[in-house]
Amino acid sequence: MDDRPPCRPETLAARLDGYLCGDTGAIVPPIHPSSTYARDADYAQIGGRGYSRDDNPTYLQAEHVLAQLEGGAAAMLFASGIAAIAALFQALQPGDHAVVSRDMYFGTAKLLREVLIPWGLRCDMVDTADLDALRDAVKPGVTKLVFVETPANPTWAVTDIAGAAAIAHAAGALLAVDNTSASPALCRPIAHGADLVVHSATKYLNGHSDVVAGAVVTAADTKLWQRIGRIRFLAGPVLGPFEAWLLLRGMRTLFIRVRAAGANAQRIAEHFDGHKAIAQVCYPGLPGFPGHAIAARQMEGGFGGMLSLRVAGGRDAAMRAISRVRIFIRATSLGGVESLIEHRATIEKEDGTVPDDLLRLSVGIEAVEDLIADLEQALAG
Ligand SMILES: *Cc1c(COP(=O)(O)O)cnc(C)c1O
């Protein structure tokens, strides 16, 4: 729709950037399940495409909307968040050096350790919330990529995106941000200097715990971006068109979901901050949380739906509380409309660094009174 006035991201998301089918008047895009595309009698492609491992009109719709939401030049969907992250690192050359956040989603750390480092990536993990530590780890002219997650699983440590971008760029490296936990409803890393953004679209972007998907968004059409596209085409971790369509549908309500979850999380964090059954609340929205000021600067509209509670009394008290919840669902993953609770140390086992008194909450959009009452009864006694 070329005659539309410029509009805010909330409008863009709700309206899928003004989608309207000129032929039918449909206001919802179709699903294109076709895996292959016909050629004409001169053997030219009729619609400009040949095969759905390369692209597909349904992916393109979702990629277009996501690129707009992140303020990027382009987006690329993947079969999962981890596939997107793997493609980003594999677009480097074996032997290239990267610096990554020490606090990050456990699956990314395992991917680095078990797949990418054996493949040839050289990689240092540092506390990127500490910009001095990041500056020390980045090797000018050698480091190709700085990869940070903020707020980071499951401590919600905050990395200063603009500060990290300045350090990366001064050394000739690119900055990639895993923006899964904030989502573009709260943070747009490209506006703060990031070159690339990755997502587990399984989480807030889709938001209904019914799709596994991932994405990379780029600030500019670079050689590295082209290489990421080659890797998706050649290695094949594409998303199915039905999943891409569900993701499109989920993104329409991104802002309202993320804000509702964030408002609930803020209330829960404030309620349990200083509570006798809780040793520590880890949530960037609390003024006493390290990184709160940076989060307030680079996030807009709240601090997100993710928080962790460190239970007073250690592992046993944490396990007793998690066994007693009745509204929170004991499950992994995050970013859905329903509230989930997880004992990360059990999941990460001996490889993990998460304290065993920590319960990670993915706060949903239920009535916050119900959520607080559930946690209160679970922690009582
Ligand atoms: C879940 C998650 C991933 C991995 O995404 P999948 O869709 O599960 O492959 C990566 N980063 C973060 C921050 C996540 O929460």
Side-chain angles (χ1 to χ4, degrees), residues 168-337:
H169 294 161
L174 298 174
L175 176 69
V177 175
D178 185 332
N179 195 32
T180 297
S181 71
S183 94
L186 302 179
C187 182
R188 288 153 57 97
I190 289 171
H192 300 283
D195 303 286
L196 295 142
V197 175
V198 302
H199 276 284
S200 170
T202 312
K203 315 293 171 53
Y204 288 102
L205 289 178
N206 180 62
H208 294 77
S209 306
D210 53 10
V211 167
V212 173
V216 184
V217 184
T218 187
D221 186 4
T222 57
K223 273 210 175 104
L224 187 77
W225 179 248
Q226 293 299 324
R227 180 77 189 147
I228 294 169
R230 282 306 280 171
I231 288 172
R232 188 180 68 166
F233 177 62
L234 294 172
V238 286
L239 191 64
F242 291 94
E243 285 75 11
W245 188 87
L246 276 171
L247 177 59
L248 263 172
R249 177 187 164 126
M251 286 193 291
R252 301 186 81 153
T253 54
L254 176 72
F255 283 83
I256 198 163
R257 284 187 285 104
V258 169
R259 284 182 186 154
N264 280 354
Q266 183 76 37
R267 285 272 300 278
I268 292 171
E270 287 169 5
H271 180 91
F272 287 102
D273 192 27
H275 190 285
K276 65 178 188 320
I278 296 298
Q280 191 192 353
V281 179
C282 309
Y283 186 64
L286 291 175
F289 185 78
H292 170 72
I294 295 162
R297 209 163 57 227
Q298 67 193 21
M299 297 173 80
E300 192 186 329
F303 297 89
M306 298 304 300
L307 70 107
S308 295
L309 299 176
R310 295 190 63 181
V311 181
R315 180 178 196 280
D316 290 350
M319 294 313 283
R320 192 164 58 241
I322 201 171
S323 75
R324 289 184 181 174
V325 291
R326 292 188 298 187
I327 291 177
F328 275 84
I329 301 167
R330 287 176 291 274
T332 196
S333 198
L334 58 104
V337 292

Side-chain angles (χ1 to χ4, degrees), residues 71 77 101 108 135 138 160 183 237 253-254 258 272 291 339 365 371:
L77 293 181
S101 294
T108 306
R135 201 175 289 109
V138 169
D160 179 340
S183 94
T253 54
L254 176 72
V258 169
F272 287 102
S339 292
I365 64 167
L371 300 176

